[in-house]
Amino acid sequence: MTMFESMQMEAARMMQAHNMTVADIPPFVAIHTALSAALVTSTWYACYMISTDVSGTSRLGSASVKFLPGASVRAKVEESCRNSKIMTSLQNRFPSIDPTRLTMSFAEAKFGRFFIKPVTIPGR
């Protein structure tokens, strides 16, 4: 028995144990993908809205909290954003978007999602 055949048999057993059919797979994939996209979008948006300013200070309501990264990391991110064709075209299209803030907020959201994966993956 090949590895593919054993995986097929295991999938068939799992589907039978959960009373699923092949017709249940497309809605499952669509729902899983939609929930994943919603999580990525919402965490990125939240990090963008709470994002740190140039000095590395984040504004959370009325409190100011000092965050990393250091100036050298921020300078590298800014340089990368200036040299990125995608970020340049995005900034030309939407002048109000700060490419450095967008990049940093994506990294912050990605880092945050890494820590909540044990909760979100079984939840989906």
Side-chain angles (χ1 to χ4, degrees), residues 96-109:
S96 64
I97 290 180
D98 177 11
T100 303
R101 185 174 169 197
L102 192 65
T103 303
M104 292 298 289
S105 63
F106 177 77
E108 292 164 353

Side-chain angles (χ1 to χ4, degrees), residues 6 12 51 57 65-66 71 73 78 93-94 97-98 103 110 119:
S6 79
S51 186
T57 304
V65 182
K66 188 73 173 170
V73 173
E78 288 173 356
R93 240 175 152 181
F94 305 102
I97 290 180
D98 177 11
T103 303
K110 182 78 172 163
V119 174

